[in-house]
Amino acid sequence: MVKYSQKRWWSLTAFAVLTAIVFMFDIVYTFGAVGELLYLAVIVSAILLLRERDIFTVAVICSAMALLGGVFSADGTDWAHMALDRGLVVLAIWLPAVLVVRQWRAEHLFKQENAFLQLLQRVAVAANQAAYVEEALHTVLDEVCRHTGWPVGHAYLPADDDSGELKPTTMWHLDDSAQFEAFRRVTEATRFAPGIGLPGRVLVSGKPAWIIDVTKDPNFPRAKLADDIGVRAAFGFPVLVGEEVAAVLEFFSTRAEEPDESLLEVMASVGTDLGRVIERQRAAQAIRESEQQLQSITDNTSTVIYIKDIQGRFLLINRRFEEIFKMSCEQVIGKTNQEIFPKELADQFYANDRMVIDHQGPIEFEEVALHADDGQLHTYLSVKFPLYDAQGGVYAVCGISTEITERKKSEQALRDSEQRYRALYDDNPSMFFTVDGEGKVISVNRFGASQLGYTPCELIGESVYGVVLEEDWPIVRAHLAKCIKSPGQIDQWEFRKVRKDGCVIWVREAGRAIPTDSGESVILIVCEDITQNKHIEQEREQLLVRETAARAEAESAKQRVVNILERVGDAFVALDKNWCYTYVNEKAARTLNRRPKDLIGKHIWTEFPEGVGQPFYYAYQSAVMRQTAVQIEEYYEPWDMWFENRVYPSDEGLSIFFQDITQRKKSEQALRDSEQRFKSLFDHAAVGIAHVDMDGRFIRVNPEFCKTLGYTQQEMLELTFFDVTHPDDIATSRVRMNKLISGPPQTVTAEKRYVAKNGSVIWGNLTTAIVDPEGDNSRYLVSVIQDITERKRAQEQARQRQAELAHVTRMSTIGELASGLAHEINQPLAAISNYVQVCIDEIRSDAKNPNEMVETLSRATAQCHRASQIIARLRHFIAKREPRRDKIDVNKLVREVVSLVEAELRSSKVKVDLDLHEPLESVHADSVQIEQVIMNLVKNGLEAMDNGSADKRRLMIQTFPVDRDAIKVTVKDTGHGLSKGEAGQVFEPFFTTKSEGMGMGLSISRTIIEAHGGRVTGTANPDQGATFEFVLPTKQKEPT
Amino acid sequence: MKNADPIVFIVDDDPAMRDSMQLLVSRMGVEVRTYDSAESYLDDNQPDVPGCLLLDIRMRGMTGMELHETLIRQGVRIPTIFITGFGDVPTAVRATRRGAVDFVEKPFDQQALLQRIRQAIEQDKSDRESSRQLAEFAQLMARLSPREREVLEFVIEGMTSRQIAQRLSRSEKTVKAHRLHMMKKLQVHTTAEVVRKALTTRASQDKG
């Protein structure tokens, strides 16, 4: 600017001097019009040499000089002439000047308009052609610089963070990069807050701004950062997307220049145009990205995704769909369910789709689908939801189906294994190994060995590394060490094994260390052949590599994407090459407990530093380094969670699908624990446990049960439940079993006898329930058998002791009754003797009378009968025999007892009143023992009355039914009665108020009655004496 | 009275015993009366004929022993044979001390029992005879004068006539005359006879 001003000054000065010379010439020499013409020459040369404004300046000077010259000129006499001359000269000076300047102006405006139009057009074309915003900005920088001729152009963009600042970019237009190196460096290091510097001002105002000379501008910080930044004039304008400033473009000149308002206006409209481009491109970019994500997700997810219109025609399917039904996209799109699926399945799908359309909202279904690859029916959990068009009407149904067959199967398998632990080890189609910490095989199941082409004997005792591919030794070694280090924890690993025939197979092993009795740990390993899975993974990888850019789709697709991303079962994140998040879906955000926008652009290991060193970390690294898809199911220690990750490397970085499988793992763990518990329970239970099928065959028996019965497990499994049941109990066992099978669900408990292998009888307390674990009628009985032989024996002994004691006390009673009884027997004997003597005499006499003798002898016979009855009664009473229960008539027993004490009653002058209820319901009891009780009560009553007055001695015996199902016997005396203290004690052993006797009578009576389920009591009568009574149930107790 | 037929009384609450005993005893040719309890026996009016009582010790109501005691208290003299059962022997022994004739323990030897019944009846007869004679002697003694009774006392003490005379301060002759009158009144012929009869009578009177 200085240069320009100086130059202008010099040229104006030059013209002033020239004009002064012409003036001098004009007034000194009188050449008439010649002097005036010189002014014309000056103005013409000014028009040729100077700019518009300066031309007018020169014109003014010339006009003034010409008029002044007229005053001073020699021929100044003729004023009119002179005025005419000078007037013509002035006119001649102004006319060309004005005409030329006007022409110039018109031309300039035209050129300028033209250039602006060209600029705008070029900008518009460039912007439209540009694939990216950056490209468009670049084009505009170039075009504006070309248009203005300014050498420097640069774009500022808003910073990504929330600071609201502008950040420099690497987008430059530089005519001479070396010349502006300093300025470029300064610029690329400077960010601007709103209002600061040129870009800051533009950002705040949203309008173009001009700086005449940046070195003199107080608000241009960059000028102070270098000695000479090499630029002077500057202008900047915003790229506006609506109200938002999407970029600020700035341009610099090497000279100081005055603001060019029209340029700035044009620039404002350029900015607006560019803004529209950016807006459009942003939208397109977003669609493209989401399309790609959709495609990437729909194709990589393990769920099946499809969209059908309301007629049921497929609009979209994902690759998983193609894989499982073995149909290509082309074959499916446009077809209906009915055209591609078997009728039953198609109807199922159609019905569910209709339901969603009618319901107008998402619904979950459990659906089955026939897989083309294995021909099996698989179970899916399908979430179906309607898609709405712009008018809000349903135009399609989108379905996301997650296969739950495997989950169901694995749960089922675990449950099965829990139930069939025995079979599990040898015949389950899984490989089982037990190895020690050094890797020596302690045991291996048949299946496991055969999968590797060996027999178990060939492997046991050998090192497990013999069947491991040499390259994978470190993996195995590391994981075995890990197992040993954390006993009880399950560790999983994958590696390759070598079969006996040399084939290499991929296996996945799950191991857990279990401490043994010796203190050493052994590792239980379940090994699974995953060679097939590995092949599938590789294929999938190849497909992934072949995956090309996504198809373009309409705006409606965007909605679909959002819907699908929201609902897709997996959490999904995408990482770029620098491990920064580029995409995080809702589910992932929820799982990671962050907002998506907080993660986007952030470095994964900066955000989640605790993940470094975790299995997932290595899995991601490995996926990137080897460029292979990695699937990993691992425990994430920092969060105490389990995740299943599918990691797919791509050109852009990594796509990671993951699922929180903590719940599943926990339930698996719980199942495994429960299986372990079951196994321990089953194997170490102190009670016998047997599983019995509907025919009574043993399915499983535990060692305790075998031990109890003395069979080996093998022998047991060839027997039926009836083979080991005591013959006397088989009938009731059958009844019980039928009751369980046909009756309502229940648990039945019973005591029954078994016969052991050696023939001994084992008493068992049996608890049986029927279980239907599969829910499919494959029912069996679970029996828990407690060996109660000892208890039974003890009970039996106690019962015998009691019987013996009862017998002893009966004998003692009889001893006390002996004299009376002898008398009772002597009575008929004496009579018999008399009758016989009479007959003898008759025979000896002369006058025999046979009729009389017959009469006499028959009387003797009657007395024999009487005597034998007394003996029988006595024998019954003192019988020492096994206690047994019969139906007995208590009234009869009362009469027997009264007979036995007949002599006592007579000698002690006791009057007996019998009040026996007839008929009395029979009781199920031991007649001898009940008779003994009655005897004890009667004797007790008689003895109580020994000291009383003879004419008051009355004993009243009553029997009568009580409580509908019991009878009561009361023995009431008029003796000395019971004191309060005695009433509580009379049934205690050895309690007696008499000098003789053991004091056992009432105690034994109570034992007997209680053993019969009855009760006996003694109370004092209100007037005199005491009443002893007992109650016996008439209902027979269930045989146990 | 002298020629009255003897009667055997049987008291037993056991019908079979009563029946068989009646059959057995009646074969002796004596009359048999049976009672089912002591009370019914006491209620019956007993004829004053020789006989014997067969009594069961154990009976409902009044026992045989109580009946026996009652009879003794009433002064009824009848030979009694207790029929005892097992364990009643001590009771029976006690009874014999009180004047029962005998006891038999069931079961018993019928011949022996019948023999005892016979003996009892005989003894009753003789008892009845001797008691009749004693009664007669007592009546004779009642007729003695006081002096004659005094002399009888000294005779019983074994004094001679002279000793009696000295005691009574009478003459020996007077004493002899009293003694002769006394002997005549008492219808005895020898001193020994008068002493025996007098002592017997006095003993029975003391007892009665």
Side-chain angles (χ1 to χ4, degrees), chain A residues 298-315:
Chain A
T298 55
D299 282 349
N300 288 323
T301 182
S302 61
T303 54
V304 180
I305 300 175
Y306 41 86
I307 296 175
K308 289 178 245 182
D309 67 16
I310 46 177
Q311 281 79 39
R313 284 191 295 267
F314 281 91
L315 298 177

PDB file of all heavy atoms in Angstrom, chain A residues 298-315:
ATOM      1  N   THR A 298     -26.132 -55.666   9.070  1.00  0.00           N
ATOM      2  CA  THR A 298     -27.087 -56.707   8.667  1.00  0.00           C
ATOM      3  C   THR A 298     -26.352 -57.909   8.123  1.00  0.00           C
ATOM      4  O   THR A 298     -26.777 -59.041   8.318  1.00  0.00           O
ATOM      5  CB  THR A 298     -28.059 -56.181   7.600  1.00  0.00           C
ATOM      6  OG1 THR A 298     -27.305 -55.675   6.530  1.00  0.00           O
ATOM      7  CG2 THR A 298     -28.982 -55.135   8.161  1.00  0.00           C
ATOM      8  N   ASP A 299     -25.234 -57.658   7.443  1.00  0.00           N
ATOM      9  CA  ASP A 299     -24.557 -58.808   6.860  1.00  0.00           C
ATOM     10  C   ASP A 299     -23.654 -59.532   7.846  1.00  0.00           C
ATOM     11  O   ASP A 299     -23.379 -60.708   7.682  1.00  0.00           O
ATOM     12  CB  ASP A 299     -23.760 -58.371   5.633  1.00  0.00           C
ATOM     13  CG  ASP A 299     -24.681 -58.172   4.435  1.00  0.00           C
ATOM     14  OD1 ASP A 299     -25.849 -58.573   4.559  1.00  0.00           O
ATOM     15  OD2 ASP A 299     -24.232 -57.625   3.429  1.00  0.00           O
ATOM     16  N   ASN A 300     -23.168 -58.844   8.831  1.00  0.00           N
ATOM     17  CA  ASN A 300     -22.241 -59.507   9.737  1.00  0.00           C
ATOM     18  C   ASN A 300     -22.899 -60.051  10.986  1.00  0.00           C
ATOM     19  O   ASN A 300     -22.345 -60.874  11.673  1.00  0.00           O
ATOM     20  CB  ASN A 300     -21.137 -58.535  10.151  1.00  0.00           C
ATOM     21  CG  ASN A 300     -20.200 -58.279   9.020  1.00  0.00           C
ATOM     22  OD1 ASN A 300     -19.897 -59.181   8.251  1.00  0.00           O
ATOM     23  ND2 ASN A 300     -19.771 -57.050   8.870  1.00  0.00           N
ATOM     24  N   THR A 301     -24.061 -59.555  11.249  1.00  0.00           N
ATOM     25  CA  THR A 301     -24.683 -59.993  12.487  1.00  0.00           C
ATOM     26  C   THR A 301     -25.097 -61.457  12.365  1.00  0.00           C
ATOM     27  O   THR A 301     -25.357 -61.948  11.271  1.00  0.00           O
ATOM     28  CB  THR A 301     -25.903 -59.130  12.849  1.00  0.00           C
ATOM     29  OG1 THR A 301     -26.389 -59.595  14.078  1.00  0.00           O
ATOM     30  CG2 THR A 301     -26.972 -59.233  11.803  1.00  0.00           C
ATOM     31  N   SER A 302     -25.093 -62.107  13.484  1.00  0.00           N
ATOM     32  CA  SER A 302     -25.484 -63.511  13.462  1.00  0.00           C
ATOM     33  C   SER A 302     -27.001 -63.650  13.450  1.00  0.00           C
ATOM     34  O   SER A 302     -27.534 -64.736  13.348  1.00  0.00           O
ATOM     35  CB  SER A 302     -24.927 -64.218  14.693  1.00  0.00           C
ATOM     36  OG  SER A 302     -25.459 -63.610  15.842  1.00  0.00           O
ATOM     37  N   THR A 303     -27.687 -62.505  13.583  1.00  0.00           N
ATOM     38  CA  THR A 303     -29.136 -62.590  13.548  1.00  0.00           C
ATOM     39  C   THR A 303     -29.604 -62.524  12.094  1.00  0.00           C
ATOM     40  O   THR A 303     -28.894 -62.079  11.214  1.00  0.00           O
ATOM     41  CB  THR A 303     -29.770 -61.418  14.322  1.00  0.00           C
ATOM     42  OG1 THR A 303     -29.230 -60.228  13.796  1.00  0.00           O
ATOM     43  CG2 THR A 303     -29.472 -61.505  15.778  1.00  0.00           C
ATOM     44  N   VAL A 304     -30.791 -62.998  11.890  1.00  0.00           N
ATOM     45  CA  VAL A 304     -31.370 -62.998  10.562  1.00  0.00           C
ATOM     46  C   VAL A 304     -32.256 -61.766  10.462  1.00  0.00           C
ATOM     47  O   VAL A 304     -33.091 -61.531  11.330  1.00  0.00           O
ATOM     48  CB  VAL A 304     -32.223 -64.273  10.341  1.00  0.00           C
ATOM     49  CG1 VAL A 304     -32.822 -64.267   8.950  1.00  0.00           C
ATOM     50  CG2 VAL A 304     -31.371 -65.495  10.567  1.00  0.00           C
ATOM     51  N   ILE A 305     -32.034 -60.960   9.425  1.00  0.00           N
ATOM     52  CA  ILE A 305     -32.803 -59.718   9.295  1.00  0.00           C
ATOM     53  C   ILE A 305     -33.479 -59.718   7.938  1.00  0.00           C
ATOM     54  O   ILE A 305     -32.897 -60.134   6.927  1.00  0.00           O
ATOM     55  CB  ILE A 305     -31.881 -58.493   9.420  1.00  0.00           C
ATOM     56  CG1 ILE A 305     -31.200 -58.530  10.797  1.00  0.00           C
ATOM     57  CG2 ILE A 305     -32.646 -57.209   9.225  1.00  0.00           C
ATOM     58  CD1 ILE A 305     -30.181 -57.451  10.994  1.00  0.00           C
ATOM     59  N   TYR A 306     -34.718 -59.284   7.906  1.00  0.00           N
ATOM     60  CA  TYR A 306     -35.453 -59.284   6.641  1.00  0.00           C
ATOM     61  C   TYR A 306     -36.561 -58.247   6.744  1.00  0.00           C
ATOM     62  O   TYR A 306     -36.990 -57.893   7.842  1.00  0.00           O
ATOM     63  CB  TYR A 306     -36.075 -60.659   6.368  1.00  0.00           C
ATOM     64  CG  TYR A 306     -36.655 -61.269   7.612  1.00  0.00           C
ATOM     65  CD1 TYR A 306     -37.958 -60.989   8.031  1.00  0.00           C
ATOM     66  CD2 TYR A 306     -35.848 -62.064   8.434  1.00  0.00           C
ATOM     67  CE1 TYR A 306     -38.450 -61.500   9.183  1.00  0.00           C
ATOM     68  CE2 TYR A 306     -36.334 -62.576   9.607  1.00  0.00           C
ATOM     69  CZ  TYR A 306     -37.634 -62.296   9.989  1.00  0.00           C
ATOM     70  OH  TYR A 306     -38.113 -62.792  11.167  1.00  0.00           O
ATOM     71  N   ILE A 307     -36.948 -57.756   5.573  1.00  0.00           N
ATOM     72  CA  ILE A 307     -38.066 -56.815   5.539  1.00  0.00           C
ATOM     73  C   ILE A 307     -39.039 -57.321   4.492  1.00  0.00           C
ATOM     74  O   ILE A 307     -38.646 -57.734   3.392  1.00  0.00           O
ATOM     75  CB  ILE A 307     -37.577 -55.398   5.179  1.00  0.00           C
ATOM     76  CG1 ILE A 307     -36.648 -54.910   6.304  1.00  0.00           C
ATOM     77  CG2 ILE A 307     -38.752 -54.444   4.990  1.00  0.00           C
ATOM     78  CD1 ILE A 307     -36.005 -53.595   6.006  1.00  0.00           C
ATOM     79  N   LYS A 308     -40.300 -57.348   4.849  1.00  0.00           N
ATOM     80  CA  LYS A 308     -41.329 -57.802   3.917  1.00  0.00           C
ATOM     81  C   LYS A 308     -42.383 -56.714   3.800  1.00  0.00           C
ATOM     82  O   LYS A 308     -42.674 -56.036   4.789  1.00  0.00           O
ATOM     83  CB  LYS A 308     -41.997 -59.076   4.465  1.00  0.00           C
ATOM     84  CG  LYS A 308     -41.099 -60.284   4.430  1.00  0.00           C
ATOM     85  CD  LYS A 308     -41.797 -61.485   5.017  1.00  0.00           C
ATOM     86  CE  LYS A 308     -41.095 -61.927   6.284  1.00  0.00           C
ATOM     87  NZ  LYS A 308     -41.694 -63.109   6.884  1.00  0.00           N
ATOM     88  N   ASP A 309     -42.935 -56.539   2.585  1.00  0.00           N
ATOM     89  CA  ASP A 309     -44.015 -55.561   2.472  1.00  0.00           C
ATOM     90  C   ASP A 309     -45.302 -56.182   3.004  1.00  0.00           C
ATOM     91  O   ASP A 309     -45.315 -57.339   3.433  1.00  0.00           O
ATOM     92  CB  ASP A 309     -44.158 -55.041   1.036  1.00  0.00           C
ATOM     93  CG  ASP A 309     -44.624 -56.127   0.080  1.00  0.00           C
ATOM     94  OD1 ASP A 309     -45.122 -57.181   0.561  1.00  0.00           O
ATOM     95  OD2 ASP A 309     -44.470 -55.942  -1.144  1.00  0.00           O
ATOM     96  N   ILE A 310     -46.357 -55.367   2.970  1.00  0.00           N
ATOM     97  CA  ILE A 310     -47.553 -55.878   3.646  1.00  0.00           C
ATOM     98  C   ILE A 310     -48.198 -57.018   2.883  1.00  0.00           C
ATOM     99  O   ILE A 310     -49.019 -57.742   3.430  1.00  0.00           O
ATOM    100  CB  ILE A 310     -48.600 -54.763   3.933  1.00  0.00           C
ATOM    101  CG1 ILE A 310     -48.799 -53.904   2.725  1.00  0.00           C
ATOM    102  CG2 ILE A 310     -48.194 -53.940   5.118  1.00  0.00           C
ATOM    103  CD1 ILE A 310     -49.858 -52.849   2.929  1.00  0.00           C
ATOM    104  N   GLN A 311     -47.803 -57.211   1.635  1.00  0.00           N
ATOM    105  CA  GLN A 311     -48.288 -58.405   0.939  1.00  0.00           C
ATOM    106  C   GLN A 311     -47.424 -59.627   1.282  1.00  0.00           C
ATOM    107  O   GLN A 311     -47.714 -60.726   0.821  1.00  0.00           O
ATOM    108  CB  GLN A 311     -48.278 -58.199  -0.584  1.00  0.00           C
ATOM    109  CG  GLN A 311     -49.454 -57.382  -1.124  1.00  0.00           C
ATOM    110  CD  GLN A 311     -49.242 -55.892  -0.899  1.00  0.00           C
ATOM    111  OE1 GLN A 311     -48.127 -55.405  -1.045  1.00  0.00           O
ATOM    112  NE2 GLN A 311     -50.296 -55.174  -0.546  1.00  0.00           N
ATOM    113  N   GLY A 312     -46.390 -59.399   2.060  1.00  0.00           N
ATOM    114  CA  GLY A 312     -45.556 -60.520   2.470  1.00  0.00           C
ATOM    115  C   GLY A 312     -44.382 -60.759   1.537  1.00  0.00           C
ATOM    116  O   GLY A 312     -43.686 -61.749   1.665  1.00  0.00           O
ATOM    117  N   ARG A 313     -44.178 -59.856   0.594  1.00  0.00           N
ATOM    118  CA  ARG A 313     -43.051 -60.038  -0.338  1.00  0.00           C
ATOM    119  C   ARG A 313     -41.780 -59.480   0.293  1.00  0.00           C
ATOM    120  O   ARG A 313     -41.802 -58.415   0.907  1.00  0.00           O
ATOM    121  CB  ARG A 313     -43.334 -59.313  -1.659  1.00  0.00           C
ATOM    122  CG  ARG A 313     -44.331 -60.051  -2.549  1.00  0.00           C
ATOM    123  CD  ARG A 313     -44.370 -59.424  -3.937  1.00  0.00           C
ATOM    124  NE  ARG A 313     -44.885 -58.073  -3.886  1.00  0.00           N
ATOM    125  CZ  ARG A 313     -46.183 -57.756  -4.067  1.00  0.00           C
ATOM    126  NH1 ARG A 313     -47.057 -58.706  -4.332  1.00  0.00           N
ATOM    127  NH2 ARG A 313     -46.574 -56.511  -4.001  1.00  0.00           N
ATOM    128  N   PHE A 314     -40.704 -60.225   0.122  1.00  0.00           N
ATOM    129  CA  PHE A 314     -39.444 -59.796   0.720  1.00  0.00           C
ATOM    130  C   PHE A 314     -38.902 -58.560   0.009  1.00  0.00           C
ATOM    131  O   PHE A 314     -38.850 -58.498  -1.219  1.00  0.00           O
ATOM    132  CB  PHE A 314     -38.402 -60.909   0.644  1.00  0.00           C
ATOM    133  CG  PHE A 314     -38.613 -61.945   1.701  1.00  0.00           C
ATOM    134  CD1 PHE A 314     -39.401 -63.064   1.467  1.00  0.00           C
ATOM    135  CD2 PHE A 314     -38.055 -61.788   2.968  1.00  0.00           C
ATOM    136  CE1 PHE A 314     -39.616 -64.001   2.447  1.00  0.00           C
ATOM    137  CE2 PHE A 314     -38.267 -62.732   3.947  1.00  0.00           C
ATOM    138  CZ  PHE A 314     -39.052 -63.835   3.695  1.00  0.00           C
ATOM    139  N   LEU A 315     -38.512 -57.562   0.801  1.00  0.00           N
ATOM    140  CA  LEU A 315     -37.899 -56.364   0.251  1.00  0.00           C
ATOM    141  C   LEU A 315     -36.405 -56.379   0.499  1.00  0.00           C
ATOM    142  O   LEU A 315     -35.632 -55.810  -0.243  1.00  0.00           O
ATOM    143  CB  LEU A 315     -38.491 -55.117   0.914  1.00  0.00           C
ATOM    144  CG  LEU A 315     -40.000 -54.897   0.709  1.00  0.00           C
ATOM    145  CD1 LEU A 315     -40.447 -53.679   1.488  1.00  0.00           C
ATOM    146  CD2 LEU A 315     -40.323 -54.730  -0.760  1.00  0.00           C
TER     147      LEU A 315
END
